[in-house]
Each structure stands twice: as C-alpha cells, then as structure tokens.
Amino acid sequence: MITMTMNDNSLRLPAEWEPQQSVLIAWPHKDTDWSYMLDEVTDCYINLAHAILRFANLIIVSPDSSSIRDLLSDCDMGRIAFLDVPTNDTWTRDYGAITTLTASGAPVYNDFCFNGWGLKFASNHDNLVTRKMKFSGLLAGHYRNELGFVLEGGSIESDGNGTLLTTRQCLMSPNRNGDLNRREISHYLKKVFGLRKVLWLDHGFLEGDDTDSHIDTLARFAPNNTIIYVGCDDPTDPHYDELNAMRADLRAMRNADGEAFNLLELPMADSAYDEDNQRLPATYANFLVINNGVLLPTYGSPGKDRLAAQILRIAFPDHEIVPVDCRALIRQHGSLHCATMQFPIINF
C-alpha cells in the first residue's frame, strides 16, 4: 500500500499522448440538458464511441446501460465497461478522475470537487462518479480524496515533464477556490501533481463558453515542447484582441527547463449559433489524443476542418487524425475533449 503525502515529488501528471488504457464517457439521457435533442446527440455519441474503440477501451457511465448496449451491438463488448450511476450531464473531462503516476507507474486517481463550473449548474450526481467508479472496481489503483479543492480536468494541461498550463479566469474564479490567491493555487497544484512549474494564461476566451476559459478550448500541449493554440485573424471578430494577447502570452512562456515553446496556430472555427442566436464555443483545440490517434472535433466547415487536421498532423506526425462531427456537442457549449477523460495504461 502506497502512503501518499502532499510532498510526494515522485508523482507525475502524464501528458495526454502517453499510452492509455481506456477513455471515459457519460451517455446522454432524458434527464440531462440533451433531452430536447436526444436523438441527434445520441448519434454523435455512437460515432464517438466507435472512434474511441479504434484506439483504446471504453468506459460508459449512465443511469441505465441496457439501451446503450443495443446501440453499440456492432462493437466488441469485451472492450466496453458499463457503470450504471445517475449523472447530471455528460462532460466527464471535468468530473472524471485526474490520474497521476508514481515512479513505478502505479496510477493514483485524484478525485477533485466538481461544482458545476463555479456553481452554474447542478453537479450532485456527477461529483460522485469518480468515487463510484473506484468502489465498483473500474479504477484499479489508489484513490486520492482531493474534494476540498475545486478543479476540472479541462482547466489544466500537462506536458508530462513537470509543466502545467492553465488560465487565470478559471482557476481564480471566486466560485471555485475564491479564498486562495494565484501563489497558493500554484503551490497546491505543484504538490498534488508533482509539478515543477505552473504557467498561467491571463488572456483568451470563447463566446458561449460556460467554463470560464478552460485551457482545453484555447491552448494544448503537444510533443516536442509544442503548444497548439487557437488564433483569430479577423479584426472584426470579438475574439481578435484577446486571442492575439494570448498568443503574446504563449510566446513569452518558458517550460520547467527554461525553454521557449514551439507554437502552432489552429484556425478559429466558423461562427455557430444556438436557437437564441447566441454564439457557441466551437474550437479545434478541443481534440483528444488517444494512443496512436487524435480525435479532431469538426463543425461542418470543410475548409477550416481540413486546415485544423493539417495542423494536427504537423504536431502529431505518427498519429492518425480522425475527424468526429461535433456540431451536436457544441449545442450544449462543449466539444469532444470536454466529453471524454482518458486513463493511462497501468504499469505496476
């Protein structure tokens, strides 16, 4: 039995492109905000499940898995694990366990508090999912209770080498950990994740984003000391000034070894709007790296979708880029990465 302490520097937060065992998703159902478009989003989740299974095993949480089994009957059911639990919503990135690894490769499943993105939405069921996964035996490793700290998986990015990237607007939100300042939050993150450096973006946002600027909508780490980020070249777009200021922030940043990052710019996704003519936060930065593949969210814009795929091929030359139509997902203000949480291969 490993005794974990807050000063255990042997812990490491892996990069997303490191080997993965499985990916967690939560199936949409009639008691979620998807109820008005359930057939459309279910088709999206069927496609997402098939794409994930090309590269890793799949874990599906839902109140009732019986109908899901029928929908995925053409899949290898031996590679899908189901857990029937209540859920408020489907954004497992933000309430799934965040996994650190010990020096021997043993996983530690960190369970942080999820409070509905700063008390915006109900989260009572979602905040229990990690504990229920652990107690059901789906998470084979050490469970670590960090429920005293509010943290969503979409708000942090790791390069796997001791550097973490996040945003001021999210982690310093008054309704998350409002009693802590930046220095105190950085100190906590360094201890719990075994980090050497925490980088903070002071700029960058997407209209329609409920998360207070999650980093996985704006800028992502990639191999070879690279950051892939969303750009905007249209001066009339309301994102123009903030995203250009974000690019300047990224250029000035250095990793834990003091090295500047290689930067790759993704295009700004074409504008998409909901039924009330409110802009939706479509972003190509919300991709999922999954073993030898990269699942790319697409939005029905052939030119921009193709350009985003080309950029990802530069960053991940040994990976297959797999487009997944996410026009349904952004209707509830999230996308592909938001809907997934990966777990590394167990090696101990």
Side-chain angles (χ1 to χ4, degrees):
M1 182 72 177
I2 297 175
T3 301
M4 306 305 301
T5 71
M6 287 295 291
N7 295 311
D8 190 344
N9 293 322
S10 67
L11 289 174
R12 187 176 67 86
L13 184 62
E16 193 168 300
W17 56 87
E18 296 182 42
Q20 298 175 20
Q21 182 72 31
S22 57
V23 173
L24 170 70
I25 63 174
W27 208 261
H29 55 85
K30 63 180 179 58
D31 295 322
T32 62
D33 289 339
W34 297 112
S35 58
Y36 75 103
M37 53 174 291
L38 195 54
D39 289 344
E40 182 182 352
V41 75
T42 297
D43 287 342
C44 178
Y45 268 79
I46 291 171
N47 293 334
L48 177 58
H50 281 89
I52 290 169
L53 286 167
R54 292 183 56 187
F55 302 99
N57 294 335
L58 182 62
I59 302 172
I60 300 176
V61 296
S62 70
D64 181 4
S65 62
S66 57
S67 62
I68 304 171
R69 295 172 190 269
D70 294 335
L71 293 170
L72 300 178
S73 59
D74 59 338
C75 298
D76 179 358
M77 287 303 190
R79 298 181 54 220
I80 306 177
F82 294 92
L83 179 63
D84 287 9
V85 294
T87 57
N88 301 103
D89 216 329
T90 52
W91 308 115
T92 56
R93 175 64 46 181
D94 295 336
Y95 59 81
I98 300 175
T99 311
T100 47
L101 300 175
T102 67
S104 64
V108 178
Y109 300 107
N110 298 277
D111 189 4
F112 295 94
C113 177
F114 174 63
N115 72 349
W117 305 282
L119 306 176
K120 297 183 184 72
F121 303 98
S123 58
N124 56 311
H125 295 311
D126 294 343
N127 196 41
L128 296 173
V129 167
T130 293
R131 271 164 286 177
K132 290 180 177 180
M133 289 181 67
K134 172 57 183 173
F135 299 140
S136 73
L138 280 174
L139 297 179
H142 301 280
Y143 171 87
R144 187 172 182 177
N145 185 331
E146 294 293 338
L147 292 164
F149 189 85
V150 179
L151 185 71
E152 300 116 36
S155 69
I156 57 172
E157 270 286 302
S158 171
D159 70 350
N161 193 37
T163 302
L164 182 137
L165 180 62
T166 189
T167 67
R168 172 190 54 80
Q169 186 175 347
C170 181
L171 260 64
M172 297 189 68
S173 162
N175 287 334
R176 287 182 171 86
N177 302 291
D179 58 331
L180 301 177
N181 59 34
R182 184 184 295 206
R183 180 187 60 80
E184 291 168 328
I185 293 173
S186 292
H187 182 67
Y188 171 83
L189 294 174
K190 285 180 178 179
K191 285 188 172 182
V192 78
F193 290 134
L195 303 169
R196 295 184 289 151
K197 190 166 190 177
V198 177
L199 299 173
W200 294 79
L201 277 178
D202 290 320
H203 299 93
F205 83 105
L206 292 180
E207 285 194 341
D209 174 25
D210 294 323
T211 69
D212 303 306
S213 296
H214 269 187
I215 194 66
D216 71 350
T217 68
L218 298 168
R220 306 287 306 282
F221 281 128
N224 302 311
N225 200 38
T226 297
I227 295 178
I228 309 171
Y229 68 97
V230 176
C232 181
D233 58 7
D234 179 3
T236 67
D237 190 297
H239 299 98
Y240 181 79
D241 289 339
E242 273 290 303
L243 290 182
N244 277 278
M246 182 184 79
R247 178 172 57 193
D249 287 346
L250 293 170
R251 285 175 173 168
M253 286 178 173
R254 300 294 182 268
N255 66 17
D257 295 318
E259 301 165 338
F261 293 99
N262 305 306
L263 300 182
L264 283 175
E265 183 173 301
L266 286 164
M268 187 78 188
D270 287 342
S271 302
Y273 298 88
D274 65 12
E275 298 83 355
D276 299 320
N277 204 35
Q278 299 297 308
R279 190 162 176 177
L280 297 169
T283 170
Y284 293 111
N286 212 243
F287 57 86
L288 174 70
V289 189
I290 174 172
N291 291 325
N292 296 321
V294 179
L295 306 190
L296 168 69
T298 60
Y299 304 106
S301 303
K304 291 281 187 72
D305 294 347
R306 201 161 39 240
L307 178 57
Q310 291 170 352
I311 299 299
L312 289 184
R313 285 191 190 96
I314 295 171
F316 297 95
D318 299 323
H319 291 64
E320 181 182 355
I321 312 300
V322 179
V324 179
D325 189 334
C326 289
R327 282 175 288 183
L329 284 182
I330 62 166
R331 297 271 290 280
Q332 282 297 319
H333 306 269
S335 196
L336 196 154
H337 195 252
C338 304
T340 59
M341 174 55 85
Q342 75 281 348
F343 300 114
I345 286 179
I346 298 170
N347 181 28
F348 69 104

